[in-house]
Amino acid sequence: FFNFSRRYPAYELYLYGEGNYAEENKNLLLTGIPVLFLPGNAGSYKQVRSLGSIALRKAEDVDFKYHFNFFSVNFNEELVALYGGSLQRQTKFVHECIKVILKLYRNREFAPTSVAIVGHSMGGLVARALLTLKNFKPELINLLITQATPHVAPVMPLDRYLTDFYTAVNNHWILKAQDLRNLTTLSVAGGFRDYQVRSGLAFLPRLSQHDSALSVVVKKQTSFFCFAWKLILATIRAFFDLIDENTRQITEDPKKRMSVLNHHFVRHPAKIFEENPEAFTGLTGAFIWITVKASKWTYSVYNDSDGKYFTFPLASHRKSYSHVYCENSIHGFSYSFFFFFPFSFFFFFSLYFKVVILKLQDYPSLSHIVIQVPPTVGNKYTLDCEFFKEDSRRVQLPVTHLFSFGKYNILLLEKNEKLILLTFERKPSVYRLHIPWSHEDSVVVAKVPSSTEISAKLHIAQPQNDSRVPELNIYSSSDCQYEVILKTSLLQILGQVIRFHAGVLPVYVVSNILLTYGGQLSTLISAGNFSLELVRTAKPYKVEPLLSIVVFLQGFNWFREIWESLSLPEVDAAVLSSQDAWFPLVSLILFLLGTGIAYWNGVFFSTSLRLFSSLWLTLFRPTVLRKDNKLITPRRFCVVLSLALVSWTTCGALAVFLIYLQYLFKVLKETSQNSSIYTVKNQSSMDSTSKATQSLCNSTIAEGISSLKMHVTILNLFTWIVLLNLPSLIYWLKNLRYSVRLDPDPCRSTAIILVCILEILMNSSTSEVKSSKLLKIAAKVPLPLSVAMLAFGRMHLYKVPHFVTFSLLLHVLCCIV
């Protein structure tokens, strides 16, 4: 346990230990191999136990000839995926931890000179950021394994510190790729069941200068929270295979490190790594030799006490066949393939069987294949071998697109891609979907007879320089007929849209509310309620065509030059299109989803407001409606000054939240007062009071209702601003015992402006705005602001409050001018 209380009071470094191992190392006289675990967003340093415990058991199996010392960093479970202000501080702390760890091994016989790092979630990004530090030596890290780390971009870009951090890290890794040749990096994604970090974000930047980076998707799809547990065995096996017997540390050879990682995470999971497999193997044992000349052969036996060698001569098969396929059903046994020179082959392993496929052309000197079947007392197994011609088993099919009406689920593949079907005979049916550029396999096991649906979805698009295509391998039964049908699933496409772009939905919701707000300003005389105005004004044809035209024109050099000369940032949709993660219909779908969310949010908000106002009216029945016509009073000025002071000295999001609560209370009170006036009006009409009194009462009610509708819309708009700033408020509350002031604060200046604006707006009425000379401008501005918000806010959510603030500022000016 280490405590850096002076410079980093919230962070700590721990050494994992248990049982006798913990007692032996409590004096920190360490002799093992250092591994540093970095937890991610809201992650606990205790997650290292899953790695350390398994590594300790494996070290006991080898009598501690080699063992690992696992360290873990306590980041105080900070929400660094939502607030980026502490990422740089975490990076510097990890640098200090590495230096302290290496000092612990000083003057040891096999002292390490580098540390291996395992980073979960944002911990992997912090590890990559170490290389951006000016005084960091790259040789201090030789191996980096990241698990479910969003390397490409943040899941929710809620502040500029987060996006700037990503830009700095990714640019450094691309520009300084030559300096990273001695660092081996593995990124493992969780697949489609990881609903927090989609696998496309977990792929490392493609570095053309070196080949020491590997990105894979786990074959068994796993959730984000279970991610650190699913990869324990593969990671620990890889660690022990990476040990150099001479230095008793992780090998300094980058090629061997990549070979080990490829072996455990790509080619042969759960198999022992052999750096130099023997080209010749002795065939020992008094086994029976059997020659098999048939092109298709099956062998099944139960409880056989005699081992056997099956030999397959290849000379007679080379002219007619291109491949040989062998598989066995697993019933508690193993078997071996023997070749008489170095070889490579495709190996596929599942829970139900093992498969080996050899291409005969790759082994022109090979004369025989020998399969050893050991004695199987008490076990049952089945062995199938078959020679086949690839052309007869390979069918290349075009992939269906959104508007095609074929059948079979091939979803969101590029239009120029093909799906290749390879069929093999076996029982039961097993279907393997292989996406070659993402090192991803999806395996589906189906009973016979059955109907099975396979969703072919991509985590990332096919790279431009990659000509490989997805393959669907069908391991079927020879005595059954199969029909393969292609179709496009609209439901799955919608799911892919949500998976890729759910993080930008707040932008579309706020855009819809902003259009509604502009519509209410333009029709103040007969202002409708929020839901009706939303249906009337929130139309995608007002926004989407202009965005599509800009994205299209940015494909031309002359337009880009004009755009850059105006110092305008690049449109987010153009960036996403360059990453093959965007097409025009996506924006339309998201806009309609945003409209639906805004509508039901408005219904829920209005209903809740009526319920609470009724409760308020029951508990505190107002008798006289008091109204101050002045927008700025000494009391309100003091409130603004106090909240501005809160924003400057503590946290901007806290001031935003407090002014929101004040506004909400004000609207709640006005709702109850309007209800009270309406009741008084009904009573006065029954009492036959004077026409002047009734007219005054009617005008008061009309003005109050009109103002209330506008306040409800502003509150709907401001609710999303509060939600977008909420992560920094939570971060500040969690770290309040270490510092009263949030530094850096992403919304401090914006909060001060919003406090001033909302304090005026909550005390304004529509009668003041109707006579304003700026009303027409204020009513028209929300439309271009909505367009700009969708253009520049999709990948920068923190820009959304700026657009809303500008629109509200014009409303304030309408109240004054």
Side-chain angles (χ1 to χ4, degrees):
F1 167 76
F2 302 92
N3 194 337
F4 301 86
S5 57
R6 293 183 179 179
R7 286 180 294 172
Y8 307 97
Y11 303 153
E12 296 168 324
L13 175 64
Y14 286 85
L15 170 66
Y16 173 79
E18 61 180 72
N20 294 332
Y21 172 80
E23 290 294 326
E24 294 172 359
N25 291 284
K26 65 181 180 179
N27 295 323
L28 301 180
L29 301 176
L30 306 178
T31 58
I33 303 170
V35 178
L36 179 61
F37 175 77
L38 303 180
N41 179 56
S44 172
Y45 67 95
K46 297 178 182 179
Q47 289 174 292
V48 74
R49 182 181 181 274
S50 56
L51 285 168
S53 181
I54 300 299
L56 182 60
R57 301 294 175 267
K58 192 166 179 64
E60 290 174 349
D61 294 340
V62 295
D63 296 327
F64 281 91
K65 180 181 179 181
Y66 312 113
H67 70 280
F68 288 86
N69 302 128
F70 277 87
F71 298 84
S72 183
V73 174
N74 179 16
F75 285 134
N76 195 32
E77 300 183 7
E78 293 178 339
L79 298 173
V80 288
L82 304 177
Y83 169 74
S86 63
L87 283 169
Q88 194 67 26
R89 185 162 54 248
Q90 287 190 1
T91 305
K92 294 178 180 179
F93 178 74
V94 173
H95 185 200
E96 296 297 326
C97 291
I98 292 174
K99 292 190 288 187
V100 169
I101 290 171
L102 293 178
K103 285 181 181 178
L104 295 175
Y105 296 87
R106 188 175 295 173
N107 301 324
R108 299 291 190 272
E109 182 180 0
F110 298 100
T113 58
S114 60
V115 175
I117 295 181
V118 178
H120 179 247
S121 183
M122 294 297 289
L125 186 70
V126 170
R128 290 180 60 213
L130 286 168
L131 297 164
T132 65
L133 299 177
K134 292 182 179 180
N135 57 345
F136 182 78
K137 299 178 180 178
E139 58 268 19
L140 294 180
I141 308 175
N142 59 7
L143 177 64
L144 171 60
I145 298 178
T146 66
Q147 301 171 342
T149 297
H151 292 292
V152 177
V155 177
M156 294 286 288
L158 292 175
D159 63 64
R160 63 182 179 86
Y161 305 111
L162 189 59
T163 56
D164 290 348
F165 189 83
Y166 264 90
T167 301
V169 172
N170 287 330
N171 286 346
H172 182 88
W173 274 61
I174 293 174
L175 297 175
K176 303 290 184 181
Q178 198 69 20
D179 300 334
L180 306 177
R181 289 178 299 177
N182 294 324
L183 172 62
T184 303
T185 309
L186 169 69
S187 175
V188 188
F192 289 108
R193 290 189 181 179
D194 188 348
Y195 299 112
Q196 292 197 33
V197 179
R198 66 176 179 87
S199 297
L201 295 177
F203 282 75
L204 291 163
R206 298 186 180 276
L207 309 176
S208 58
Q209 289 85 350
H210 68 98
D211 56 354
S212 61
L214 177 65
S215 300
V216 299
V217 179
V218 293
K219 291 179 173 57
K220 186 175 181 180
Q221 311 293 304
T222 180
S223 67
F224 179 83
F225 291 108
C226 298
F227 201 100
W229 296 89
K230 296 290 186 181
L231 298 174
I232 301 306
L233 294 179
T235 303
I236 297 303
R237 289 191 193 105
F239 273 141
F240 276 87
D241 285 341
L242 286 167
I243 297 175
D244 188 333
E245 294 185 359
N246 297 323
T247 63
R248 298 201 175 184
Q249 296 293 327
I250 290 180
T251 179
E252 296 294 331
D253 184 4
K255 292 184 178 179
K256 181 180 178 181
R257 292 198 297 261
M258 282 301 296
S259 297
V260 172
L261 294 180
N262 270 288
H263 173 82
H264 286 285
F265 292 92
V266 178
R267 292 196 303 267
H268 311 307
K271 289 177 65 68
I272 299 174
F273 173 76
E274 293 179 330
E275 184 175 3
N276 296 307
E278 295 183 4
F280 297 93
T281 302
L283 304 181
T284 59
F287 290 177
I288 301 173
W289 285 79
I290 302 174
T291 301
V292 180
K293 297 182 179 181
S295 60
K296 183 178 178 182
W297 172 81
T298 300
Y299 178 74
S300 181
V301 68
Y302 175 74
N303 200 18
D304 188 7
S305 60
D306 297 325
K308 294 180 177 62
Y309 286 120
F310 293 98
T311 64
F312 296 81
L314 301 181
S316 58
H317 297 297
R318 289 189 179 275
K319 294 182 179 181
S320 303
Y321 305 104
S322 61
H323 290 70
V324 59
Y325 163 87
C326 293
E327 57 132 288
N328 78 311
S329 301
I330 299 175
H331 300 282
F333 82 104
S334 62
Y335 66 98
S336 302
F337 290 81
F338 294 95
F339 305 86
F340 297 97
F341 62 96
F343 62 92
S344 62
F345 58 88
F346 165 74
F347 176 86
F348 170 53
F349 169 77
S350 77
L351 182 63
Y352 297 92
F353 65 98
K354 294 179 181 178
V355 169
V356 173
I357 301 175
L358 297 175
K359 188 175 182 180
L360 300 180
Q361 186 179 357
D362 294 340
Y363 311 102
S365 303
L366 189 64
S367 61
H368 290 74
I369 293 177
V370 180
I371 300 178
Q372 178 192 19
V373 178
T376 56
V377 178
N379 293 317
K380 179 182 178 181
Y381 66 88
T382 301
L383 182 62
D384 295 290
C385 291
E386 179 184 6
F387 290 87
F388 67 93
K389 194 171 183 179
E390 184 180 21
D391 295 341
S392 65
R393 300 297 178 88
R394 181 181 292 265
V395 180
Q396 188 165 336
L397 300 175
V399 175
T400 58
H401 54 82
L402 181 62
F403 298 106
S404 61
F405 298 96
K407 294 183 177 180
Y408 190 81
N409 286 354
I410 306 298
L411 311 178
L412 293 183
L413 299 178
E414 295 297 316
K415 290 184 179 179
N416 59 346
E417 291 177 0
K418 304 291 183 181
L419 180 75
I420 294 178
L421 306 180
L422 294 176
T423 60
F424 306 97
E425 295 182 355
R426 75 165 317 276
K427 189 176 182 177
S429 297
V430 176
Y431 312 105
R432 170 180 174 265
L433 179 65
H434 175 63
I435 311 297
W437 56 83
S438 59
H439 300 294
E440 171 194 358
D441 287 343
S442 300
V443 179
V444 177
V445 180
K447 296 181 179 179
V448 178
S450 66
S451 177
T452 304
E453 184 177 279
I454 302 174
S455 296
K457 300 177 288 188
L458 296 180
H459 296 295
I460 59 171
Q462 183 183 23
Q464 293 182 355
N465 57 350
D466 196 330
S467 60
R468 295 174 296 176
V469 295
E471 289 188 0
L472 176 64
N473 303 138
I474 302 177
Y475 301 89
S476 58
S477 178
S478 58
D479 53 355
C480 294
Q481 292 183 348
Y482 294 86
E483 183 182 15
V484 178
I485 306 172
L486 288 131
K487 72 175 181 179
T488 299
S489 172
L490 296 178
L491 186 62
Q492 291 284 358
I493 287 179
L494 182 60
Q496 284 288 81
V497 170
I498 297 299
R499 174 181 293 277
F500 275 73
H501 306 289
V504 305
L505 274 176
V507 182
Y508 285 88
V509 175
V510 176
S511 177
N512 275 273
I513 299 176
L514 198 58
L515 290 174
T516 306
Y517 170 67
Q520 283 186 308
L521 283 176
S522 63
T523 57
L524 273 179
I525 298 176
S526 58
N529 60 32
F530 175 81
S531 300
L532 294 176
E533 284 298 319
L534 178 67
V535 174
R536 187 181 70 85
T537 58
K539 305 297 183 182
Y541 59 78
K542 296 181 179 180
V543 177
E544 294 301 326
L546 182 59
L547 282 177
S548 300
I549 291 172
V550 172
V551 173
F552 173 76
L553 290 176
Q554 283 205 335
F556 299 96
N557 292 330
W558 61 269
F559 186 82
R560 283 202 303 269
E561 292 175 359
I562 297 175
W563 191 269
E564 293 172 359
S565 65
L566 297 175
S567 300
L568 293 173
E570 191 172 6
V571 178
D572 290 347
V575 178
L576 293 171
S577 297
S578 65
Q579 299 172 357
D580 293 324
W582 193 262
F583 59 94
L585 282 179
V586 169
S587 187
L588 177 61
I589 293 172
L590 293 174
F591 191 93
L592 295 176
L593 287 174
T595 304
I597 294 173
Y599 179 85
W600 290 109
N601 175 71
V603 171
F604 174 78
F605 191 86
S606 300
T607 305
S608 302
L609 198 62
R610 285 195 294 268
L611 290 175
F612 283 108
S613 64
S614 300
L615 180 62
W616 178 271
L617 193 62
T618 303
L619 298 177
F620 310 98
R621 183 176 295 275
T623 55
V624 179
L625 181 62
R626 293 176 297 176
K627 182 172 179 62
D628 194 344
N629 293 324
K630 294 182 179 180
L631 292 175
I632 302 175
T633 62
R635 179 178 175 275
R636 293 167 187 169
F637 181 76
C638 291
V639 171
V640 170
L641 195 61
S642 300
L643 290 177
L645 188 63
V646 168
S647 175
W648 188 260
T649 57
T650 58
C651 174
L654 176 62
V656 170
F657 186 68
L658 291 176
I659 194 69
Y660 174 75
L661 292 180
Q662 183 186 349
Y663 200 166
L664 186 62
F665 176 77
K666 180 82 173 179
V667 172
L668 185 65
K669 194 173 180 180
E670 285 190 7
T671 305
S672 61
Q673 288 174 342
N674 283 333
S675 299
S676 176
I677 293 175
Y678 186 75
T679 304
V680 171
K681 176 201 170 186
N682 290 337
Q683 291 177 353
S684 62
S685 62
M686 292 175 64
D687 296 338
S688 301
T689 56
S690 64
K691 293 182 178 180
T693 304
Q694 290 185 15
S695 177
L696 178 63
C697 191
N698 289 336
S699 62
T700 304
I701 292 175
E703 181 183 341
I705 292 176
S706 178
S707 299
L708 185 60
K709 289 177 180 178
M710 184 60 68
H711 288 315
V712 169
T713 301
I714 295 174
L715 266 180
N716 268 294
L717 195 60
F718 194 54
T719 299
W720 287 91
I721 305 305
V722 173
L723 291 176
L724 291 175
N725 289 311
L726 201 58
S728 60
L729 176 60
I730 297 173
Y731 181 91
W732 174 77
L733 290 172
K734 197 167 186 177
N735 290 271
L736 191 57
R737 56 178 173 170
Y738 304 112
S739 177
V740 176
R741 191 172 191 262
L742 180 63
D743 188 30
D745 190 342
C747 61
R748 179 172 289 126
S749 57
T750 306
I752 295 175
I753 298 173
L754 282 172
V755 164
C756 299
I757 291 174
L758 292 176
E759 185 64 35
I760 295 175
L761 286 181
M762 73 174 67
N763 296 288
S764 66
S765 64
T766 55
S767 61
E768 299 162 345
V769 181
K770 287 178 182 179
S771 59
S772 175
K773 299 178 181 179
L774 299 176
L775 179 58
K776 291 183 178 180
I777 298 176
K780 292 179 179 179
V781 162
L783 176 58
L785 285 180
S786 296
V787 176
M789 188 186 302
L790 294 182
F792 306 113
R794 281 184 272 216
M795 297 177 65
H796 307 84
L797 291 179
Y798 59 89
K799 294 181 179 179
V800 171
H802 302 160
F803 297 106
V804 175
T805 301
F806 183 77
S807 185
L808 295 178
L809 180 60
L810 289 178
H811 192 157
V812 170
L813 293 177
C814 288
C815 296
I816 298 173
V817 180

